Amino acid sequence: MSSPPDEWAGDRSNGAVDAVVVGAGPNGLAAAIVLAGAGLEVEVYEAAPTVGGGTRTTEATLPGFHHDVCSAAHPMGLASPFFRAFDLAAHGVEMLSPAVSYAHPLDEGRAGLAWRDLDRTVDGLGQDGPAWRSLLGTLVERWQGLVGAAMSDLRSLPADLVTAARLALRVAEQGSPLWGARFRGPVAPALLTGVSAHAIAPPCAPVPAGVGLVLAALGHSVGWPIPSGGSQRIADTMAAEIRRRGGRILTGRRVDSIAELPRARAVLLDLTPAGLLRIAEDTLPGRYARRLRSYRYGGGAACKVDFALSGPVPWKASGCELAGTLHLVGSREETLAVEREVAAGRHPERPYVLAVQPGVVDPTRAPAGLHTLSTYAHVPHGSPVDLGDTVTAQVERFAPGFRDLVLARHVVPAANLHEHSLNLVGGDIAGGALSPWQMVMRPVAARDPYATPLPGVYLCSASTPPGPAVHGMCGLYAARQALRQCFGIAADPLELVRSPSGRPGQG
Protein backbone atom coordinates (compact mmCIF):
# COMPACT_ATOMS: atom_id res chain seq x y z
CA MET A 1 0.00 0.00 0.00
CA SER A 2 1.20 3.51 -0.78
CA SER A 3 1.87 5.92 2.06
CA PRO A 4 1.95 9.71 2.08
CA PRO A 5 5.29 11.41 1.41
CA ASP A 6 7.28 12.34 4.51
CA GLU A 7 6.60 16.03 4.13
CA TRP A 8 2.90 15.50 4.87
CA ALA A 9 3.59 13.72 8.16
CA GLY A 10 5.07 16.58 10.19
CA ASP A 11 4.27 18.16 13.54
CA ARG A 12 0.53 18.04 14.42
CA SER A 13 0.85 20.30 17.47
CA ASN A 14 -0.80 23.17 15.58
CA GLY A 15 -3.98 21.12 15.05
CA ALA A 16 -3.32 20.32 11.40
CA VAL A 17 -4.44 17.03 9.85
CA ASP A 18 -3.84 15.43 6.48
CA ALA A 19 -7.47 15.57 5.31
CA VAL A 20 -10.82 16.92 6.47
CA VAL A 21 -14.20 15.65 5.27
CA VAL A 22 -17.28 17.83 5.79
CA GLY A 23 -20.52 15.86 5.78
CA ALA A 24 -20.99 12.28 6.97
CA GLY A 25 -23.42 11.04 4.37
CA PRO A 26 -22.48 7.85 2.49
CA ASN A 27 -20.19 9.70 0.08
CA GLY A 28 -18.37 11.63 2.78
CA LEU A 29 -17.91 8.45 4.79
CA ALA A 30 -16.67 6.59 1.70
CA ALA A 31 -14.13 9.33 1.02
CA ALA A 32 -12.89 9.17 4.60
CA ILE A 33 -12.49 5.37 4.42
CA VAL A 34 -10.35 5.68 1.29
CA LEU A 35 -8.20 8.47 2.72
CA ALA A 36 -7.69 6.71 6.04
CA GLY A 37 -6.89 3.50 4.15
CA ALA A 38 -3.96 5.37 2.56
CA GLY A 39 -2.56 6.01 6.04
CA LEU A 40 -3.67 9.64 6.25
CA GLU A 41 -4.94 11.33 9.38
CA VAL A 42 -8.58 12.18 8.69
CA GLU A 43 -11.22 14.20 10.53
CA VAL A 44 -14.91 14.13 9.57
CA TYR A 45 -17.29 16.96 10.54
CA GLU A 46 -21.05 16.34 10.62
CA ALA A 47 -23.68 18.95 11.51
CA ALA A 48 -26.25 16.42 12.76
CA PRO A 49 -26.00 14.50 16.03
CA THR A 50 -25.53 11.24 14.09
CA VAL A 51 -23.80 10.21 10.88
CA GLY A 52 -25.63 9.12 7.75
CA GLY A 53 -27.21 12.10 5.98
CA GLY A 54 -30.27 10.60 4.31
CA THR A 55 -29.09 7.14 5.39
CA ARG A 56 -30.53 7.39 8.89
CA THR A 57 -33.15 5.49 10.86
CA THR A 58 -35.35 7.08 13.55
CA GLU A 59 -38.44 6.31 15.63
CA ALA A 60 -40.42 8.90 13.69
CA THR A 61 -43.93 7.74 14.60
CA LEU A 62 -44.04 5.77 17.87
CA PRO A 63 -41.44 4.17 20.17
CA GLY A 64 -40.25 0.86 18.77
CA PHE A 65 -41.19 1.70 15.15
CA HIS A 66 -38.00 2.29 13.14
CA HIS A 67 -38.28 4.31 9.93
CA ASP A 68 -35.59 5.20 7.40
CA VAL A 69 -35.61 8.97 6.93
CA CYS A 70 -34.82 8.75 3.21
CA SER A 71 -33.06 5.74 1.70
CA ALA A 72 -34.69 2.41 2.56
CA ALA A 73 -33.92 -0.23 -0.10
CA HIS A 74 -30.32 -0.40 -1.27
CA PRO A 75 -29.46 -2.32 -4.45
CA MET A 76 -26.25 -0.30 -4.75
CA GLY A 77 -25.34 -1.37 -1.21
CA LEU A 78 -24.51 -4.73 -2.78
CA ALA A 79 -23.78 -3.71 -6.36
CA SER A 80 -21.59 -0.59 -6.39
CA PRO A 81 -17.82 -1.09 -6.72
CA PHE A 82 -17.27 0.72 -3.40
CA PHE A 83 -19.63 -1.49 -1.42
CA ARG A 84 -18.44 -4.67 -3.14
CA ALA A 85 -14.95 -3.75 -1.94
CA PHE A 86 -16.14 -2.66 1.50
CA ASP A 87 -18.37 -5.75 1.93
CA LEU A 88 -21.14 -4.81 4.33
CA ALA A 89 -21.73 -8.45 5.29
CA ALA A 90 -18.11 -8.80 6.43
CA HIS A 91 -18.71 -5.78 8.67
CA GLY A 92 -21.79 -7.36 10.24
CA VAL A 93 -24.54 -5.66 8.23
CA GLU A 94 -27.18 -8.15 7.09
CA MET A 95 -28.71 -7.13 3.76
CA LEU A 96 -32.10 -8.84 3.42
CA SER A 97 -33.44 -9.26 -0.12
CA PRO A 98 -37.21 -9.75 -0.52
CA ALA A 99 -38.35 -12.43 -2.95
CA VAL A 100 -40.14 -9.66 -4.89
CA SER A 101 -37.74 -6.77 -5.37
CA TYR A 102 -40.53 -4.34 -6.27
CA ALA A 103 -44.19 -4.43 -7.25
CA HIS A 104 -46.50 -2.16 -9.21
CA PRO A 105 -50.21 -2.61 -8.40
CA LEU A 106 -52.87 -1.53 -10.88
CA ASP A 107 -56.45 -0.47 -10.19
CA GLU A 108 -58.11 -3.65 -11.40
CA GLY A 109 -56.56 -5.72 -8.62
CA ARG A 110 -53.56 -7.12 -10.42
CA ALA A 111 -49.93 -6.13 -10.17
CA GLY A 112 -46.62 -6.40 -11.93
CA LEU A 113 -44.18 -8.31 -9.74
CA ALA A 114 -40.42 -8.01 -10.26
CA TRP A 115 -39.29 -11.21 -8.62
CA ARG A 116 -35.62 -11.56 -7.80
CA ASP A 117 -35.88 -14.59 -10.11
CA LEU A 118 -35.98 -13.27 -13.69
CA ASP A 119 -37.61 -16.44 -15.03
CA ARG A 120 -40.46 -16.18 -12.53
CA THR A 121 -40.97 -12.53 -13.48
CA VAL A 122 -41.10 -13.41 -17.17
CA ASP A 123 -43.66 -16.14 -16.49
CA GLY A 124 -45.84 -13.73 -14.53
CA LEU A 125 -45.88 -11.12 -17.30
CA GLY A 126 -47.60 -13.42 -19.80
CA GLN A 127 -47.46 -12.17 -23.37
CA ASP A 128 -44.95 -9.48 -22.41
CA GLY A 129 -42.64 -11.86 -20.59
CA PRO A 130 -40.35 -12.50 -23.59
CA ALA A 131 -40.12 -8.75 -24.23
CA TRP A 132 -39.12 -8.19 -20.59
CA ARG A 133 -36.40 -10.82 -20.92
CA SER A 134 -35.10 -9.38 -24.20
CA LEU A 135 -34.93 -5.91 -22.62
CA LEU A 136 -33.22 -6.87 -19.37
CA GLY A 137 -31.78 -10.37 -19.71
CA THR A 138 -28.29 -9.47 -20.93
CA LEU A 139 -28.08 -6.58 -18.47
CA VAL A 140 -28.94 -8.97 -15.65
CA GLU A 141 -26.34 -11.51 -16.78
CA ARG A 142 -23.64 -8.84 -16.96
CA TRP A 143 -24.77 -6.71 -14.04
CA GLN A 144 -21.25 -5.93 -12.87
CA GLY A 145 -20.42 -4.41 -16.24
CA LEU A 146 -23.74 -2.57 -16.16
CA VAL A 147 -22.95 -1.09 -12.75
CA GLY A 148 -19.43 -0.26 -13.88
CA ALA A 149 -20.87 1.85 -16.69
CA ALA A 150 -23.58 3.48 -14.58
CA MET A 151 -21.28 4.14 -11.61
CA SER A 152 -18.29 5.49 -13.53
CA ASP A 153 -16.91 9.01 -13.14
CA LEU A 154 -18.40 9.67 -16.60
CA ARG A 155 -14.93 10.69 -17.76
CA SER A 156 -13.43 7.22 -18.37
CA LEU A 157 -14.38 4.44 -20.75
CA PRO A 158 -16.28 1.63 -19.00
CA ALA A 159 -14.39 -1.64 -18.68
CA ASP A 160 -17.30 -3.57 -20.25
CA LEU A 161 -17.97 -1.60 -23.42
CA VAL A 162 -20.35 -4.23 -24.80
CA THR A 163 -22.70 -3.94 -21.83
CA ALA A 164 -22.40 -0.14 -21.85
CA ALA A 165 -23.42 -0.14 -25.52
CA ARG A 166 -26.38 -2.43 -24.81
CA LEU A 167 -27.51 -0.12 -22.03
CA ALA A 168 -27.21 2.89 -24.34
CA LEU A 169 -29.36 1.24 -27.01
CA ARG A 170 -32.05 0.40 -24.47
CA VAL A 171 -31.96 3.94 -23.06
CA ALA A 172 -32.42 5.27 -26.60
CA GLU A 173 -35.54 3.12 -26.90
CA GLN A 174 -37.13 3.61 -23.47
CA GLY A 175 -36.20 7.30 -23.27
CA SER A 176 -37.89 8.18 -26.56
CA PRO A 177 -41.33 7.98 -28.22
CA LEU A 178 -40.43 4.36 -29.03
CA TRP A 179 -40.84 3.40 -25.38
CA GLY A 180 -44.23 1.79 -25.99
CA ALA A 181 -43.25 -0.32 -28.99
CA ARG A 182 -41.90 -3.33 -27.10
CA PHE A 183 -44.87 -4.26 -24.89
CA ARG A 184 -48.45 -5.28 -25.69
CA GLY A 185 -50.26 -5.33 -22.33
CA PRO A 186 -50.45 -2.73 -19.52
CA VAL A 187 -48.59 -4.52 -16.71
CA ALA A 188 -45.00 -4.77 -17.97
CA PRO A 189 -44.74 -1.13 -19.14
CA ALA A 190 -46.22 0.08 -15.84
CA LEU A 191 -43.73 -2.09 -13.92
CA LEU A 192 -40.77 -0.55 -15.77
CA THR A 193 -42.10 3.01 -15.67
CA GLY A 194 -42.55 2.86 -11.93
CA VAL A 195 -38.81 2.23 -11.57
CA SER A 196 -37.89 4.95 -14.07
CA ALA A 197 -39.90 7.45 -12.02
CA HIS A 198 -37.33 7.12 -9.22
CA ALA A 199 -35.62 9.98 -11.06
CA ILE A 200 -38.55 12.27 -10.03
CA ALA A 201 -38.89 13.43 -13.62
CA PRO A 202 -41.17 12.52 -16.53
CA PRO A 203 -40.05 8.95 -17.27
CA CYS A 204 -40.07 9.08 -21.08
CA ALA A 205 -36.61 10.68 -21.20
CA PRO A 206 -33.02 9.37 -21.34
CA VAL A 207 -31.92 9.78 -17.72
CA PRO A 208 -35.09 8.35 -16.10
CA ALA A 209 -34.98 5.51 -18.64
CA GLY A 210 -31.37 4.78 -17.68
CA VAL A 211 -32.22 4.87 -13.99
CA GLY A 212 -35.10 2.46 -14.56
CA LEU A 213 -33.11 -0.01 -16.63
CA VAL A 214 -30.23 -0.18 -14.16
CA LEU A 215 -32.46 -0.56 -11.11
CA ALA A 216 -34.71 -3.07 -12.86
CA ALA A 217 -31.72 -5.22 -13.86
CA LEU A 218 -30.39 -5.11 -10.30
CA GLY A 219 -33.79 -6.27 -9.08
CA HIS A 220 -33.10 -9.58 -10.86
CA SER A 221 -29.44 -9.88 -9.85
CA VAL A 222 -28.46 -8.53 -6.43
CA GLY A 223 -32.06 -7.68 -5.55
CA TRP A 224 -33.30 -4.58 -3.72
CA PRO A 225 -32.07 -5.42 -0.22
CA ILE A 226 -33.18 -3.83 3.04
CA PRO A 227 -30.60 -3.59 5.85
CA SER A 228 -31.57 -5.47 8.99
CA GLY A 229 -32.25 -2.91 11.69
CA GLY A 230 -32.45 0.04 9.30
CA SER A 231 -30.34 2.07 6.90
CA GLN A 232 -28.54 3.65 9.85
CA ARG A 233 -26.62 0.38 10.12
CA ILE A 234 -24.84 1.14 6.85
CA ALA A 235 -23.70 4.57 8.00
CA ASP A 236 -22.77 3.42 11.50
CA THR A 237 -20.67 0.58 10.10
CA MET A 238 -18.81 2.92 7.76
CA ALA A 239 -18.18 5.31 10.65
CA ALA A 240 -16.84 2.47 12.80
CA GLU A 241 -14.40 1.53 10.04
CA ILE A 242 -13.15 5.12 9.78
CA ARG A 243 -12.46 5.12 13.51
CA ARG A 244 -10.77 1.73 13.28
CA ARG A 245 -8.46 3.15 10.63
CA GLY A 246 -7.48 6.01 12.92
CA GLY A 247 -9.94 8.67 11.75
CA ARG A 248 -11.96 10.98 13.97
CA ILE A 249 -15.66 11.85 13.51
CA LEU A 250 -17.07 14.96 15.14
CA THR A 251 -20.88 15.08 15.12
CA GLY A 252 -22.98 18.10 16.02
CA ARG A 253 -20.31 20.25 14.36
CA ARG A 254 -21.95 22.37 11.68
CA VAL A 255 -19.40 24.14 9.48
CA ASP A 256 -20.48 27.65 8.49
CA SER A 257 -17.19 28.77 6.97
CA ILE A 258 -14.35 26.86 5.41
CA ALA A 259 -12.07 29.03 7.54
CA GLU A 260 -13.34 27.18 10.64
CA LEU A 261 -11.68 23.94 9.56
CA PRO A 262 -8.25 22.86 10.80
CA ARG A 263 -5.34 23.28 8.44
CA ALA A 264 -5.30 20.31 6.06
CA ARG A 265 -3.70 19.32 2.76
CA ALA A 266 -7.08 18.19 1.42
CA VAL A 267 -10.66 19.17 2.24
CA LEU A 268 -13.49 17.04 0.83
CA LEU A 269 -17.00 18.44 0.99
CA ASP A 270 -20.02 16.13 0.96
CA LEU A 271 -22.13 19.19 0.14
CA THR A 272 -24.27 20.42 -2.72
CA PRO A 273 -23.23 23.50 -4.72
CA ALA A 274 -25.50 25.51 -2.40
CA GLY A 275 -23.56 24.12 0.56
CA LEU A 276 -20.21 25.05 -0.98
CA LEU A 277 -21.47 28.57 -1.64
CA ARG A 278 -22.72 28.81 1.94
CA ILE A 279 -19.34 28.11 3.49
CA ALA A 280 -16.91 29.45 0.87
CA GLU A 281 -18.61 31.91 -1.50
CA ASP A 282 -16.35 34.79 -0.44
CA THR A 283 -13.23 32.81 -1.28
CA LEU A 284 -14.37 31.32 -4.60
CA PRO A 285 -13.51 32.97 -7.93
CA GLY A 286 -16.52 34.94 -9.17
CA ARG A 287 -16.94 32.93 -12.38
CA TYR A 288 -16.99 29.60 -10.55
CA ALA A 289 -19.42 30.93 -7.95
CA ARG A 290 -21.77 32.08 -10.72
CA ARG A 291 -21.66 28.62 -12.27
CA LEU A 292 -22.53 27.06 -8.91
CA ARG A 293 -25.43 29.48 -8.49
CA SER A 294 -26.76 28.39 -11.89
CA TYR A 295 -26.76 24.72 -10.85
CA ARG A 296 -30.30 23.38 -11.18
CA TYR A 297 -31.99 21.38 -8.47
CA GLY A 298 -34.75 18.96 -9.40
CA GLY A 299 -38.13 20.32 -10.38
CA GLY A 300 -39.54 17.42 -8.37
CA ALA A 301 -38.95 16.60 -4.73
CA ALA A 302 -40.18 14.26 -2.02
CA CYS A 303 -42.72 14.60 0.78
CA LYS A 304 -41.89 11.90 3.33
CA VAL A 305 -44.75 10.09 5.10
CA ASP A 306 -44.13 7.30 7.62
CA PHE A 307 -46.78 5.04 9.19
CA ALA A 308 -46.94 2.88 12.29
CA LEU A 309 -49.43 0.07 11.58
CA SER A 310 -51.35 -2.47 13.63
CA GLY A 311 -50.92 -5.10 10.91
CA PRO A 312 -49.52 -5.73 7.42
CA VAL A 313 -50.78 -3.62 4.54
CA PRO A 314 -53.85 -5.39 3.02
CA TRP A 315 -52.84 -5.19 -0.65
CA LYS A 316 -55.62 -6.06 -3.07
CA ALA A 317 -53.27 -7.61 -5.66
CA SER A 318 -51.70 -10.94 -4.81
CA GLY A 319 -47.92 -10.89 -4.48
CA CYS A 320 -47.64 -7.31 -3.24
CA GLU A 321 -47.38 -8.60 0.32
CA LEU A 322 -44.01 -10.12 -0.63
CA ALA A 323 -42.49 -6.97 -2.11
CA GLY A 324 -40.01 -4.82 -0.24
CA THR A 325 -40.75 -1.79 -2.44
CA LEU A 326 -43.95 -0.77 -4.23
CA HIS A 327 -44.69 1.98 -6.75
CA LEU A 328 -48.20 3.32 -6.18
CA VAL A 329 -49.39 5.33 -9.15
CA GLY A 330 -51.32 3.22 -11.66
CA SER A 331 -50.69 2.78 -15.37
CA ARG A 332 -47.72 3.90 -17.45
CA GLU A 333 -49.82 6.72 -18.88
CA GLU A 334 -50.86 7.90 -15.43
CA THR A 335 -47.26 7.79 -14.21
CA LEU A 336 -46.14 10.00 -17.09
CA ALA A 337 -49.02 12.42 -16.52
CA VAL A 338 -48.43 12.89 -12.78
CA GLU A 339 -44.68 13.32 -13.22
CA ARG A 340 -45.31 15.99 -15.85
CA GLU A 341 -47.60 17.77 -13.41
CA VAL A 342 -44.92 17.76 -10.73
CA ALA A 343 -42.32 19.02 -13.21
CA ALA A 344 -44.72 21.87 -14.06
CA GLY A 345 -44.92 22.84 -10.39
CA ARG A 346 -48.33 21.35 -9.61
CA HIS A 347 -49.47 18.82 -7.00
CA PRO A 348 -51.24 15.85 -8.66
CA GLU A 349 -54.46 14.73 -7.03
CA ARG A 350 -53.09 11.15 -6.98
CA PRO A 351 -49.28 11.45 -6.90
CA TYR A 352 -46.59 8.87 -7.44
CA VAL A 353 -45.91 7.24 -4.07
CA LEU A 354 -42.92 5.01 -3.40
CA ALA A 355 -43.57 2.68 -0.45
CA VAL A 356 -41.22 0.37 1.43
CA GLN A 357 -42.51 -2.30 3.82
CA PRO A 358 -39.35 -3.55 5.61
CA GLY A 359 -41.32 -5.99 7.76
CA VAL A 360 -41.47 -8.32 4.75
CA VAL A 361 -37.91 -9.37 5.60
CA ASP A 362 -37.02 -7.51 8.81
CA PRO A 363 -39.28 -8.07 11.83
CA THR A 364 -37.05 -5.85 14.01
CA ARG A 365 -38.52 -2.64 12.55
CA ALA A 366 -41.66 -2.74 14.74
CA PRO A 367 -42.89 -4.36 17.97
CA ALA A 368 -44.06 -7.97 17.61
CA GLY A 369 -47.15 -8.27 15.43
CA LEU A 370 -46.97 -4.63 14.29
CA HIS A 371 -45.53 -3.07 11.13
CA THR A 372 -44.04 0.05 9.59
CA LEU A 373 -44.58 1.55 6.17
CA SER A 374 -42.21 4.21 4.87
CA THR A 375 -43.31 6.26 1.88
CA TYR A 376 -42.58 9.40 -0.04
CA ALA A 377 -44.68 11.19 -2.63
CA HIS A 378 -43.40 13.23 -5.55
CA VAL A 379 -44.16 16.95 -5.20
CA PRO A 380 -42.84 20.17 -6.74
CA HIS A 381 -39.47 21.43 -5.51
CA GLY A 382 -39.69 23.20 -2.17
CA SER A 383 -43.33 22.22 -1.57
CA PRO A 384 -44.50 23.03 1.99
CA VAL A 385 -47.64 20.89 1.59
CA ASP A 386 -48.40 18.12 4.09
CA LEU A 387 -49.47 15.17 1.91
CA GLY A 388 -50.34 12.85 4.79
CA ASP A 389 -53.99 12.48 3.81
CA THR A 390 -53.18 12.27 0.08
CA VAL A 391 -50.61 9.51 0.58
CA THR A 392 -52.97 7.62 2.90
CA ALA A 393 -55.63 7.75 0.19
CA GLN A 394 -53.17 6.57 -2.47
CA VAL A 395 -52.18 3.54 -0.38
CA GLU A 396 -55.86 2.87 0.35
CA ARG A 397 -56.49 2.91 -3.40
CA PHE A 398 -54.43 -0.26 -3.78
CA ALA A 399 -54.96 -1.65 -0.25
CA PRO A 400 -58.57 -1.18 0.89
CA GLY A 401 -58.74 -1.08 4.68
CA PHE A 402 -55.25 0.41 5.08
CA ARG A 403 -56.57 3.51 6.80
CA ASP A 404 -57.98 1.42 9.65
CA LEU A 405 -54.52 0.01 10.46
CA VAL A 406 -52.79 3.37 10.99
CA LEU A 407 -51.69 3.85 14.59
CA ALA A 408 -49.62 6.97 13.92
CA ARG A 409 -48.31 8.99 10.99
CA HIS A 410 -45.36 11.32 10.61
CA VAL A 411 -45.02 13.75 7.71
CA VAL A 412 -42.03 15.80 6.56
CA PRO A 413 -42.92 18.15 3.66
CA ALA A 414 -40.31 18.62 0.95
CA ALA A 415 -39.54 22.12 2.23
CA ASN A 416 -38.49 20.62 5.58
CA LEU A 417 -36.40 17.66 4.42
CA HIS A 418 -33.24 19.71 4.85
CA GLU A 419 -33.76 19.28 8.60
CA HIS A 420 -32.60 15.67 8.14
CA SER A 421 -29.74 16.63 5.83
CA LEU A 422 -28.66 20.04 4.56
CA ASN A 423 -28.04 18.43 1.16
CA LEU A 424 -31.77 17.84 0.60
CA VAL A 425 -32.27 21.29 -0.90
CA GLY A 426 -35.99 21.94 -1.33
CA GLY A 427 -36.64 18.23 -0.82
CA ASP A 428 -34.48 17.27 -3.82
CA ILE A 429 -33.22 13.79 -2.87
CA ALA A 430 -31.11 13.48 -6.05
CA GLY A 431 -28.64 16.27 -5.32
CA GLY A 432 -29.66 18.15 -8.46
CA ALA A 433 -31.76 17.86 -11.60
CA LEU A 434 -31.20 14.64 -13.57
CA SER A 435 -30.99 16.06 -17.07
CA PRO A 436 -28.56 14.46 -19.56
CA TRP A 437 -26.24 17.48 -19.42
CA GLN A 438 -26.28 17.84 -15.67
CA MET A 439 -25.81 14.13 -15.02
CA VAL A 440 -22.45 14.34 -16.78
CA MET A 441 -21.50 17.96 -16.04
CA ARG A 442 -22.36 18.18 -12.40
CA PRO A 443 -21.75 20.45 -10.56
CA VAL A 444 -20.13 22.42 -13.42
CA ALA A 445 -18.76 21.61 -16.86
CA ALA A 446 -15.20 20.49 -16.09
CA ARG A 447 -12.74 17.73 -16.89
CA ASP A 448 -12.36 17.13 -13.15
CA PRO A 449 -15.83 17.54 -11.60
CA TYR A 450 -14.58 16.96 -8.04
CA ALA A 451 -11.87 19.64 -7.81
CA THR A 452 -12.77 23.25 -7.05
CA PRO A 453 -10.68 26.37 -7.77
CA LEU A 454 -9.64 26.38 -4.10
CA PRO A 455 -6.35 24.45 -3.74
CA GLY A 456 -6.92 21.07 -2.14
CA VAL A 457 -10.71 21.51 -1.86
CA TYR A 458 -12.99 18.93 -3.51
CA LEU A 459 -16.71 18.19 -3.77
CA CYS A 460 -17.73 14.59 -3.12
CA SER A 461 -21.54 14.70 -2.84
CA ALA A 462 -24.27 13.32 -5.10
CA SER A 463 -23.96 16.65 -6.96
CA THR A 464 -20.89 15.09 -8.63
CA PRO A 465 -20.75 12.03 -10.91
CA PRO A 466 -22.16 9.44 -10.90
CA GLY A 467 -24.99 11.15 -8.99
CA PRO A 468 -27.60 10.00 -6.47
CA ALA A 469 -28.13 6.72 -4.56
CA VAL A 470 -26.30 5.11 -1.66
CA HIS A 471 -23.24 3.83 -3.52
CA GLY A 472 -20.24 5.76 -2.14
CA MET A 473 -18.72 6.28 -5.58
CA CYS A 474 -18.77 10.11 -5.55
CA GLY A 475 -16.71 9.98 -2.36
CA LEU A 476 -14.38 7.35 -3.76
CA TYR A 477 -13.65 9.30 -6.94
CA ALA A 478 -13.10 12.58 -5.09
CA ALA A 479 -10.76 10.85 -2.64
CA ARG A 480 -8.84 9.34 -5.57
CA GLN A 481 -8.28 12.83 -6.99
CA ALA A 482 -7.23 14.23 -3.63
CA LEU A 483 -4.74 11.39 -3.07
CA ARG A 484 -3.16 11.90 -6.48
CA GLN A 485 -3.11 15.69 -6.53
CA CYS A 486 -2.38 16.53 -2.89
CA PHE A 487 -0.34 13.56 -1.70
CA GLY A 488 1.16 11.95 -4.79
CA ILE A 489 -0.56 8.64 -3.97
CA ALA A 490 -1.64 6.77 -7.10
CA ALA A 491 -3.03 3.67 -5.39
CA ASP A 492 -6.28 2.10 -6.62
CA PRO A 493 -8.88 3.50 -4.17
CA LEU A 494 -10.80 0.22 -4.22
CA GLU A 495 -7.68 -1.56 -2.97
CA LEU A 496 -7.47 1.01 -0.17
CA VAL A 497 -11.05 0.13 0.75
CA ARG A 498 -10.28 -3.60 0.76
CA SER A 499 -6.93 -3.26 2.60
CA PRO A 500 -7.31 -1.11 5.69
CA SER A 501 -4.27 0.50 7.27
CA GLY A 502 -4.89 -1.32 10.53
CA ARG A 503 -3.96 1.71 12.63
CA PRO A 504 -5.74 1.82 16.01
CA GLY A 505 -8.82 3.99 16.15
CA GLN A 506 -9.06 7.37 17.85
CA GLY A 507 -12.56 8.64 17.22
Side-chain angles (χ1 to χ4, degrees):
M1 179 185 303
S2 301
S3 59
D6 291 341
E7 61 262 35
W8 304 127
D11 180 16
R12 306 280 181 211
S13 61
N14 60 359
V17 295
D18 291 313
V20 169
V21 177
V22 178
N27 285 307
L29 296 172
I33 286 171
V34 173
L35 296 169
L40 303 181
E41 186 175 358
V42 181
E43 284 188 355
V44 180
Y45 288 73
E46 169 56 45
T50 58
V51 300
T55 313
R56 289 193 178 97
T57 306
T58 65
E59 293 179 320
T61 54
L62 294 172
F65 290 82
H66 301 281
H67 304 273
D68 295 320
V69 303
C70 185
S71 307
H74 298 278
M76 285 298 174
L78 294 179
S80 86
F82 172 84
F83 279 113
R84 295 208 305 273
F86 184 71
D87 191 352
L88 285 167
H91 286 82
V93 179
E94 189 176 8
M95 300 292 278
L96 306 169
S97 292
V100 176
S101 295
Y102 57 94
H104 193 115
L106 297 172
D107 286 313
E108 55 270 27
R110 56 179 170 163
L113 303 177
W115 295 88
R116 173 85 180 273
D117 183 334
L118 176 61
D119 291 337
R120 190 168 183 179
T121 304
V122 168
D123 290 344
L125 291 175
Q127 64 177 337
D128 280 331
W132 188 268
R133 186 190 300 279
S134 70
L135 181 67
L136 295 172
T138 57
L139 301 182
V140 173
E141 292 168 6
R142 303 179 67 156
W143 67 266
Q144 293 190 12
L146 172 69
V147 171
M151 292 288 103
S152 78
D153 62 3
L154 305 182
R155 302 295 185 276
S156 310
L157 285 176
D160 187 343
L161 287 173
V162 172
T163 300
R166 287 172 173 161
L167 173 62
L169 288 172
R170 285 156 175 78
V171 168
E173 173 194 316
Q174 290 300 312
S176 76
L178 296 175
W179 77 330
R182 182 179 292 265
F183 300 115
R184 296 291 175 263
V187 177
L191 185 63
L192 182 62
T193 308
V195 189
S196 299
H198 278 233
I200 317 186
C204 185
V207 173
V211 168
L213 289 164
V214 171
L215 289 178
L218 292 179
H220 301 307
S221 51
V222 302
W224 284 18
I226 293 169
S228 176
S231 296
Q232 186 76 52
R233 289 292 310 281
I234 295 175
D236 287 348
T237 298
M238 295 174 75
E241 180 62 13
I242 292 166
R243 294 184 176 107
R244 198 192 72 77
R245 295 178 181 217
R248 296 181 66 234
I249 300 175
L250 299 97
T251 56
R253 295 286 295 271
R254 176 181 166 120
V255 175
D256 290 312
S257 170
I258 201 167
E260 299 172 7
L261 299 173
R263 188 167 61 85
R265 296 293 184 178
V267 176
L268 283 75
L269 305 173
D270 187 0
L271 303 174
T272 65
L276 175 56
L277 287 167
R278 180 179 62 82
I279 69 169
E281 184 168 10
D282 292 344
T283 61
L284 291 168
R287 182 169 180 268
Y288 185 79
R290 286 193 295 273
R291 293 163 76 190
L292 291 181
R293 284 193 290 270
S294 68
Y295 184 79
R296 292 193 306 110
Y297 293 91
C303 174
K304 188 74 167 62
V305 186
D306 290 309
F307 299 91
L309 304 175
S310 62
V313 180
W315 302 108
K316 183 189 303 184
S318 178
C320 288
E321 73 281 0
L322 302 175
T325 303
L326 299 100
H327 305 130
L328 310 179
V329 64
S331 68
R332 166 172 272 194
E333 294 74 20
E334 185 174 356
T335 307
L336 178 59
V338 299
E339 291 303 300
R340 283 176 171 168
E341 282 210 52
V342 169
R346 297 187 293 269
H347 291 81
E349 181 179 348
R350 300 199 298 185
Y352 175 100
V353 173
L354 186 148
V356 176
Q357 44 186 14
V360 168
V361 288
D362 183 8
T364 71
R365 298 295 188 94
L370 306 179
H371 289 263
T372 65
L373 185 71
S374 293
T375 77
Y376 66 76
H378 291 178
V379 295
H381 182 92
S383 167
V385 178
D386 179 331
L387 285 192
D389 289 342
T390 301
V391 169
T392 300
Q394 188 73 327
V395 180
E396 180 87 14
R397 171 184 172 187
F398 301 104
F402 168 75
R403 189 177 279 108
D404 298 333
L405 301 175
V406 177
L407 301 173
R409 186 175 77 193
H410 180 258
V411 181
V412 182
N416 300 106
L417 271 185
H418 70 277
E419 296 169 5
H420 290 304
S421 170
L422 294 173
N423 283 0
L424 302 177
V425 178
D428 180 356
I429 59 176
L434 300 183
S435 65
W437 172 260
Q438 197 165 267
M439 274 298 293
V440 178
M441 296 300 176
R442 57 199 290 135
V444 299
R447 179 180 177 84
D448 183 349
Y450 311 99
T452 75
L454 302 179
V457 177
Y458 301 83
L459 278 176
C460 66
S461 70
S463 299
T464 62
V470 178
H471 47 63
M473 295 304 294
C474 306
L476 181 136
Y477 290 133
R480 179 186 65 183
Q481 295 300 91
L483 287 174
R484 291 175 177 176
Q485 296 170 6
C486 299
F487 301 97
I489 298 174
D492 179 351
L494 290 173
E495 287 304 315
L496 297 178
V497 175
R498 294 187 189 97
S499 306
S501 65
R503 300 196 307 171
Q506 305 173 18

